[in-house]
């Protein structure tokens, strides 16, 4: 391990010799063209809209471009803080010189003409190296554990992992805060943290209203989001069904389950629901579901994109967390009740659970399994009861 660290340190020092020169903060600089790069899932990309919101507030006349994976562009549509969304896959290094050259040419093409300011909201080594070839007057990114990973940047903010003494501090701050510290590093000053923003068009909003009326989902609406792309982040479907039933019976809410087409077989858990209920598994597009989440009075779900959307709308809810850090990715400060297990191994951020023979592909991860339906029901009862009392 020490040998590997020494080798990586040597590589970083070598890259530092050919990298960008560190520059002082630029509190008075007014960029006219800004690029933001964040690839990944819906939730991560949506969290970065807090940064674009801050950029729009500080530089209202700037043109702001956002580079992200094609599937994630849908959470950025209609966002007033972004002028142009560029759908592109994250460039990577490769053992193939031809592939490396193509990706170098790609990032150079992205930055033609050059930007005034580029913010790289990643800390993967591949993208750090390729950022050397992104043309901008100022380029801002992360320095992992303050070891010199900022060779490609004019300004950087520290991010901490592993056994670094500042890792606990890192894990105590929300992802939105980590992202906006990049802007703080460039400006040389702290500013208020801007919350993520999600926007729907008037047409999307009207379509959501019509959908609710057509399906008899009147009154208070509870959205249930039991899906997710990572097996270890999934709470048992039958418990979501039990929570949904209790919410309808106790509070008279309308309830809608939102899942993807590959999860249609989960309908069997939600048979014979009382009252006003609708199960959707791919019948609506993700944008249509986003608009419906914006109409909800509460949400309950896993750590998934729809929960991030609810937080961006300011819709309260109950979020069930397992392997991911609830303090980093949860939205307790936005009205979400966060439930986690008590196992010492969390947060592990692992896509597979080492405590299970199959890695958690077919079994519920222990950190999720120890969260009972009764705990979720109690939090949802408190939340919906408070809303009823306020009404």
């Amino acid at each position: 391990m020490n040998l590997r660290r020494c080798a990586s340190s040597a590589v970083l020092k070598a890259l530092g010799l050919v990298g960008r020169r560190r520059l002082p903060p630029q509190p008075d600089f007014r960029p006219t063209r800004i690029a933001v790069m964040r690839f990944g899932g819906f939730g991560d990309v949506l969290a970065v809209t807090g940064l674009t919101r801050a950029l729009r507030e500080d530089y209202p006349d700037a043109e702001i471009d956002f580079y992200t994976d094609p599937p994630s562009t849908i959470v950025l549509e209609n966002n007033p803080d972004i002028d142009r969304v560029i759908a592109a896959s994250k460039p990577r290094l490769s053992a193939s010189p031809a592939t490396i050259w193509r990706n170098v040419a790609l990032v150079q093409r992205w930055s033609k003409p050059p930007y005034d300011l580029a913010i790289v909201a990643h800390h993967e080594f591949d993208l750090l190296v390729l950022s050397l070839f992104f043309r901008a007057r100022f380029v801002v990114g992360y320095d992992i554990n303050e070891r010199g990973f900022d060779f490609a940047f004019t300004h950087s903010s520290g991010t901490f992992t592993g056994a670094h003494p500042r890792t606990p501090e890192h894990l105590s701050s929300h992802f939105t805060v980590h992202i906006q510290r990049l802007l703080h590093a460039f400006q040389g000053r702290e500013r208020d943290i801007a919350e993520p923003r999600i926007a729907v068009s008037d047409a999307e909003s009207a379509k959501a209203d019509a959908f609710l009326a057509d399906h008899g989902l009147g009154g208070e609406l509870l959205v249930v989001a039991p899906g997710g792309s990572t097996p270890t982040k999934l709470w048992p479907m039958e418990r979501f069904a039990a929570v949904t039933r209790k919410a309808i019976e106790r509070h008279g809410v309308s309830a809608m389950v939102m899942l993807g087409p590959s999860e249609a077989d989960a309908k069997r858990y939600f048979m014979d629901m009382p009252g006003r209920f609708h199960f959707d598994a791919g019948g609506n597009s993700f944008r249509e579901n986003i608009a419906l989440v914006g109409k909800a009075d509460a949400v309950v779900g896993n750590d998934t994109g729809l929960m991030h959307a609810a937080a961006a709308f300011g819709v309260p809810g109950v979020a069930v967390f397992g392997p991911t850090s609830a303090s980093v990715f949860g939205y307790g400060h936005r009205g979400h009740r966060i439930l986690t297990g008590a196992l010492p191994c969390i947060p592990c951020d692992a896509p597979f659970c080492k405590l299970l023979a199959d890695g958690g592909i077919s079994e519920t991860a222990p950190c999720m399994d120890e969260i009972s339906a009764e705990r979720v029901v109690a939090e949802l009862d408190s939340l919906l009861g408070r809303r009823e009392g306020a009404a």
Side-chain angles (χ1 to χ4, degrees):
M1 189 65 181
N2 290 335
L3 181 61
R4 181 185 302 173
R5 185 180 179 87
C6 290
S8 65
S9 296
V11 170
L12 290 172
K13 287 181 180 179
L15 287 169
L17 296 175
V18 298
R20 287 188 170 90
R21 182 167 59 93
R22 301 290 83 72
L23 296 175
Q26 303 292 317
D28 300 319
F29 181 71
R30 311 300 293 178
T32 58
R33 295 188 69 237
I34 301 172
V36 175
M37 276 184 266
R38 177 67 201 191
F39 304 91
F42 298 143
D44 289 353
V45 171
L46 184 54
V48 180
T49 61
L51 170 63
T52 57
R53 190 173 193 169
L55 288 167
R56 179 63 74 207
E57 291 171 358
D58 290 356
Y59 311 117
D61 299 323
E63 176 186 303
I64 300 174
D65 293 345
F66 198 118
Y67 292 80
T68 192
D69 294 293
S72 294
T73 60
I74 59 177
V75 301
L76 304 176
E77 293 178 17
N78 304 309
N79 192 305
D81 306 317
I82 301 170
D83 295 292
R84 191 168 61 125
V85 177
I86 296 94
S89 297
K90 180 167 61 177
R92 297 183 180 278
L93 295 179
S94 168
S96 165
T99 301
I100 294 175
W101 175 250
R102 281 196 299 270
N103 282 322
V104 168
L106 175 66
V107 297
Q108 289 183 327
R109 187 165 64 249
W110 285 352
S111 53
K112 185 180 180 180
Y115 287 91
D116 298 309
L117 171 64
I119 299 180
V120 183
H122 279 280
H123 48 72
E124 286 90 343
F125 187 72
D126 292 30
L127 200 53
L128 300 188
V129 173
L130 290 168
S131 295
L132 283 170
F133 303 94
F134 193 90
R135 291 176 288 198
R137 181 173 178 179
F138 302 106
V139 184
V140 187
Y142 289 113
D143 184 7
I144 307 166
N145 291 347
E146 297 179 335
R147 290 187 56 215
F149 283 92
D150 57 349
F151 55 83
F153 308 124
T154 59
H155 302 80
S156 64
S157 175
T159 184
F160 304 97
T161 63
H164 194 280
R166 293 187 64 183
T167 297
E169 171 196 336
H170 175 89
L171 292 176
S172 69
S173 299
H174 195 268
F175 183 56
T176 303
V177 176
H178 296 313
I179 293 294
Q180 291 178 54
R181 282 178 179 157
L182 294 170
L183 180 57
H184 299 171
F186 173 70
Q187 295 178 334
R189 60 173 181 256
E190 294 286 325
R191 71 178 312 282
D192 291 340
I193 298 298
E195 293 297 341
R197 192 202 302 263
I198 194 166
V200 296
S201 66
D202 291 343
E204 288 174 320
S205 179
K207 187 173 183 179
D209 286 333
F211 179 92
L212 294 174
D214 291 345
H215 291 83
L217 300 175
E220 284 196 308
L221 175 65
L222 171 67
V223 166
V224 183
S229 58
T230 306
T232 51
K233 294 166 66 173
L234 300 180
W235 197 51
M237 195 67 70
E238 60 270 21
R239 297 185 198 177
F240 274 114
V243 169
T244 304
R245 183 180 297 276
K246 289 291 185 183
I248 296 172
E249 292 174 346
R250 294 182 182 181
H251 303 282
V253 298
S254 297
M256 179 177 176
V257 174
M258 294 181 179
L259 287 167
S262 64
E263 300 158 310
D265 62 343
K267 187 173 184 178
R268 69 183 188 273
Y269 296 104
F270 296 89
M271 300 299 292
D272 302 319
M273 282 286 167
R276 295 163 298 182
F277 173 79
H278 180 70
F279 179 93
D280 183 86
N284 289 327
S285 69
F286 193 77
R287 282 295 302 182
E288 289 169 334
N289 279 340
I290 284 175
L292 288 164
V293 166
K295 303 287 183 181
D297 294 278
V299 293
V300 58
N302 298 312
D303 173 23
T304 186
L306 289 174
M307 294 299 295
H308 288 266
F313 279 122
V315 176
V318 180
V320 184
F321 270 76
T324 49
S325 172
S327 59
V328 175
F329 297 105
Y331 284 89
H333 63 291
R334 295 284 285 168
H336 285 190
R337 311 290 182 86
I338 310 295
L339 291 178
T340 64
L343 292 178
C345 53
I346 59 174
C348 68
D349 289 318
F352 301 102
C353 181
K354 296 179 180 179
L355 301 179
L356 298 175
D358 66 352
I361 296 175
S362 59
E363 294 182 70
T364 301
C367 58
M368 297 294 276
D369 191 47
E370 68 173 350
I371 301 172
S372 68
E374 289 73 22
R375 284 183 64 191
V376 178
V377 167
E379 291 293 344
L380 199 54
D381 279 348
S382 175
L383 180 63
L384 293 173
R386 185 182 65 183
R387 295 180 65 85
E388 290 164 3

